[in-house]
Amino acid sequence: MQETDFDVIIVGAGFSGVYMLHKCRSLGLSARVIEAGTSVGGTWYWNRYPGARCDVESMTYSYSFLEDLEQEWHWPERYAKQSEILRYIDHVVDRLGMRKDIQTETRVTEATFNEATNRWTVVTDPEEQFTAKYCIMATGCLSTPNLPQFDGLESYEGDWHHTGYWPKEGVDFSGKRVGIVGTGSSAIQSIPMIAAQADHLTVFQRTPNFSIPAWNGPIGEDAEREWKKAYPELRARARVSPVGATFEAPDISAMDVSAEERERTFERRWNEGSFNFLAAYSDLLTNKESNVLATDFVHRKIRSRVNDPVVAEMLCPKDHPLGTKRLCVDTDYYETYNRDNVALVDVKTTPINSIVPDGIRVGDTVYPLDAIVFATGFDAMTGALLNIDIRGRGGIAFRDKWADGPSSYLGVAVAGFPNLFTVTGPGSPSVLSNMMVSIEQHVEWIADCIAHMEKDAVATIEPKPEAESTWMAHVNQLASEMLYQESNTWYLGANIPGKPRVFLPYVGGVGHYRTVCDDVAAKGYEGFTLA
Ligand code: FAD
Ligand code: NAP
């Protein structure tokens, strides 16, 4: 056991942890990042499945604090692929000389607050022990892969992989019969790629998802130049926008325009691609009638892209409002079902009952497969935090405190756990935004808070229980006014058996949330106890 003492321990070396380290070093603090993977990148280190790329524009999916780099960096495509994003974060880490402060291949298993010393003790696997005044969880919202408990998986004789834990050396599906379980964003990106390589692909679909075309392609020189010129203004606009984006979001209901105008607007948004579509009207996620109009438009698009009308109907989501499961963004997803080597199997009516040595059994039918891809998602937002045994004042366990769902003040700190911060934690906008914008906002707020504490020699900061309760009531109240409740999603924990059904992110908008956080800080960290 080696004991090492720092001002700050940061758990996780994705975009959050890396920026947090940079801010801590800028404040003159000693900091160590502890990361389970063999290198940095988080999401973009683990998710190497075929077709993995961002679905917000590359030009906006990067740090804004590195103004030189944003002018220098060339993003070749409108949506950057995983390897390009990984290359970017690797470059940032080297450029800022941060690698020596990042300890990889080390998983944090315990974090305990010592009330006598006001310090955190962090224990890892392989076993080491660290102490620090501050403990910052940059553990990611989508970093704990969910592998459902399928009977017989251990008997399977082919290869299987989870999209969120993909081998670095890649997987060659040539000449193979492949099965993929799931039709969320990961599956929708990988299905066209796997279908193009494999001998045959069977897609096991429980719930069809809405997907909008990405219209990916190279970024032209002129567009890149214009974008770079406008960067300060675009970044500023994203910071105060509802979802951290630069697209226009008019405050107008879909019900307040004529059918012809609505059709034109939906068509224009469809042709712009990606999340623009959801911003066509301000009430698509609050008004069922408006949502039905958008749903009808997308259903017609799906039917026009898929040749077989039976398959097209299977692909049209009808059990949840558009956008209440995270919208997917695709390249040739629906067209892939027009290929002769692709089959779609409904596993809602008859679920997968087991994995057998040579494939997947659904009811009485065995689908013989040489390889299986589980695109079955993540234990989102709370999974990575609850995997660590975090103990606060009086030995209270995070796992107990959050047994009925997470409770947090601003999604950034938790009552009873002094000097512990969660980057993009539940109760903050995080996953409902371009996460780069939310990550930077949280990291900067936490760094300012720590700077304030260091300047005034404050030993501890922690939320007051009543401030936390009021915030959670607000988070839940706003969520209850949205259509999100009508859908079984990871936003609600519904994808993990036994997980409490609580809407996890804050729907109040990135811009509004920033104002709330800034006001809290301006009022001397209102709602927190500083000791
Ligand atoms: P992560 O990148 O998840 O990093 C967390 C790190 O913490 C991981 O490396 C993990 O290994 C480490 N860790 C966790 N627990 C421990 C522990 N106990 N000990 C040590 N290390 C630990 N967002 C967007 O805004 N736009 C997109 O287009 C987009 N695309 C995505 C595509 C995929 C496939 C996925 C899964 C997510 C996507 N996201 C997207 C969300 C994405 O997670 C965020 O944008 C962002 O990368 C999160 O960064 P992070 O540092 O907060 O978390
Ligand atoms: P996901 O959206 O949770 O999708 C998981 C899929 O697996 C769903 O279709 C789910 O069906 C299915 N599934 C789970 N358990 C199953 C079972 N037992 N039997 C059959 N099907 C089962 O996960 P994801 O696709 O990995 O995406 C997670 C999030 O990561 C996204 O929402 C997004 O935020 C982010 N992401 C972004 C991109 C991008 O485009 N940039 C790409 C990948 C991921 P049900 O719907 O019925 O539960």
Side-chain angles (χ1 to χ4, degrees):
M1 292 272 280
Q2 172 201 337
E3 180 146 334
T4 315
D5 197 35
F6 293 92
D7 294 320
V8 191
I9 288 288
I10 300 161
V11 189
F15 277 94
S16 299
V18 165
Y19 187 30
M20 197 72 244
L21 173 62
H22 173 66
K23 292 297 281 184
C24 289
R25 289 180 5 155
S26 307
L27 291 173
L29 301 171
S30 64
R32 161 94 33 116
V33 177
I34 302 177
E35 165 58 51
T38 62
S39 189
V40 302
T43 286
W44 306 102
Y45 167 89
W46 295 107
N47 290 265
R48 298 164 191 251
Y49 59 83
R53 54 176 76 239
C54 59
D55 58 3
V56 299
E57 311 234 3
S58 324
M59 300 295 288
T60 67
Y61 194 73
S62 58
Y63 289 127
S64 74
F65 76 91
L66 290 168
E67 289 175 10
D68 292 350
L69 183 59
E70 78 183 5
Q71 291 300 324
E72 277 168 41
W73 195 263
H74 170 62
W75 293 104
E77 291 176 285
R78 185 174 174 193
Y79 302 96
K81 54 184 182 198
Q82 170 270 332
S83 56
E84 189 65 20
I85 302 172
L86 192 57
R87 192 170 78 80
Y88 170 82
I89 181 130
D90 260 319
H91 173 87
V92 170
V93 168
D94 289 333
R95 186 179 178 112
L96 300 177
M98 289 196 279
R99 221 167 278 273
K100 66 180 170 52
D101 295 327
I102 301 173
Q103 177 167 335
T104 56
E105 295 180 78
T106 308
R107 182 170 288 279
V108 170
T109 53
E110 294 169 30
T112 307
F113 184 70
N114 181 331
E115 289 183 75
T117 59
N118 283 334
R119 296 181 77 76
W120 284 89
T121 301
V122 171
V123 178
T124 65
D125 175 17
E127 195 165 345
E128 274 186 84
Q129 189 165 298
F130 302 88
T131 58
K133 178 172 177 184
Y134 305 98
C135 182
I136 301 178
M137 295 296 177
T139 45
C141 295
L142 295 158
S143 56
T144 305
N146 165 43
L147 183 66
Q149 297 294 308
F150 291 115
D151 285 348
L153 180 57
E154 68 293 342
S155 72
Y156 181 57
E157 287 168 359
D159 295 330
W160 64 266
H161 303 281
H162 190 289
T163 49
Y165 200 71
W166 203 260
K168 282 186 191 150
E169 62 280 12
V171 181
D172 185 3
F173 293 115
S174 306
K176 294 198 169 155
R177 297 161 303 172
V178 183
I180 182 164
V181 182
T183 46
S185 301
S186 301
I188 279 177
Q189 286 187 327
S190 51
I191 284 168
M193 308 292 288
I194 299 173
Q197 191 184 54
D199 190 43
H200 189 271
L201 176 66
T202 308
V203 179
F204 297 87
Q205 171 183 270
R206 190 165 65 184
T207 312
N209 249 309
F210 291 96
S211 187
I212 308 292
W215 308 119
N216 191 27
I219 302 177
E221 270 180 40
D222 289 349
E224 183 174 348
R225 201 174 313 110
E226 284 306 306
W227 200 299
K228 286 185 174 173
K229 211 160 67 189
Y231 247 138
E233 184 216 319
L234 293 170
R235 299 284 201 190
R237 204 193 309 161
R239 284 188 197 110
V240 296
S241 71
V243 295
T246 52
F247 45 72
E248 53 162 321
D251 190 13
I252 177 170
S253 162
M255 307 304 293
D256 288 346
V257 297
S258 68
E260 293 75 22
E261 183 182 334
R262 205 165 40 234
E263 189 73 6
R264 272 197 305 277
T265 300
F266 283 147
E267 190 67 38
R268 178 170 63 79
R269 293 278 180 167
W270 180 269
N271 289 327
E272 283 166 4
S274 186
F275 294 98
N276 282 294
F277 190 81
L278 264 189
Y281 294 103
S282 57
D283 61 345
L284 294 183
L285 289 172
T286 50
N287 180 343
K288 194 71 182 281
E289 282 179 90
S290 296
N291 192 286
V292 165
L293 296 167
T295 298
D296 172 64
F297 178 87
V298 177
H299 281 174
R300 281 186 277 126
K301 287 290 185 190
I302 295 171
R303 289 179 190 124
S304 74
R305 292 171 69 183
V306 179
N307 297 342
D308 181 333
V310 176
V311 176
E313 276 329 289
M314 285 170 76
L315 290 167
C316 284
K318 293 177 189 131
D319 72 340
H320 64 276
L322 175 121
T324 56
K325 266 182 190 285
R326 187 176 180 280
L327 206 57
C328 301
V329 176
D330 73 279
T331 297
D332 294 338
Y333 173 62
Y334 293 110
E335 289 77 3
T336 299
Y337 292 94
N338 298 333
R339 297 177 65 107
D340 291 338
N341 70 334
V342 175
L344 181 63
V345 175
D346 166 28
V347 293
K348 182 150 223 155
T349 326
T350 311
I352 294 173
N353 48 7
S354 60
I355 311 283
V356 292
D358 61 340
I360 292 183
R361 180 190 287 277
V362 179
D364 292 335
T365 310
V366 171
Y367 294 86
L369 301 167
D370 305 310
I372 301 176
V373 175
F374 293 104
T376 44
F378 300 88
D379 183 351
M381 299 202 76
T382 56
L385 291 167
L386 294 174
N387 277 345
I388 304 171
D389 188 6
I390 307 173
R391 304 267 169 169
R393 284 199 190 280
I396 179 182
F398 229 69
R399 288 169 184 163
D400 291 336
K401 175 158 177 162
W402 285 14
D404 296 326
S407 178
S408 163
Y409 183 38
L410 303 174
V412 76
V414 180
F417 298 82
N419 298 358
L420 180 97
F421 298 98
T422 53
V423 183
T424 67
S428 75
S430 60
V431 293
L432 296 180
S433 66
N434 172 351
M435 288 205 65
M436 213 58 85
V437 177
S438 289
I439 286 170
E440 287 196 336
Q441 185 260 337
H442 254 195
V443 168
E444 286 160 13
W445 191 92
I446 294 166
D448 288 349
C449 175
I450 291 178
H452 173 86
M453 289 177 65
E454 293 302 297
K455 181 171 72 58
D456 290 357
V458 178
T460 58
I461 186 169
E462 62 198 291
K464 294 178 178 158
E466 58 275 20
E468 184 172 295
S469 310
T470 306
W471 179 253
M472 290 316 293
H474 174 60
V475 169
N476 293 328
Q477 173 59 35
L478 288 195
S480 72
E481 293 165 12
M482 310 285 288
L483 298 174
Y484 286 114
Q485 308 290 342
E486 297 188 20
S487 196
N488 288 323
T489 61
W490 58 259
Y491 291 146
L492 277 156
N495 63 330
I496 305 294
K499 190 164 171 174
R501 192 180 171 97
V502 175
F503 193 79
L504 298 166
Y506 175 62
V507 298
V510 164
H512 170 69
Y513 173 79
R514 179 184 295 273
T515 309
V516 172
C517 291
D518 289 350
D519 282 354
V520 164
K523 290 177 184 156
Y525 293 92
E526 187 180 46
F528 285 92
T529 301
L530 285 79

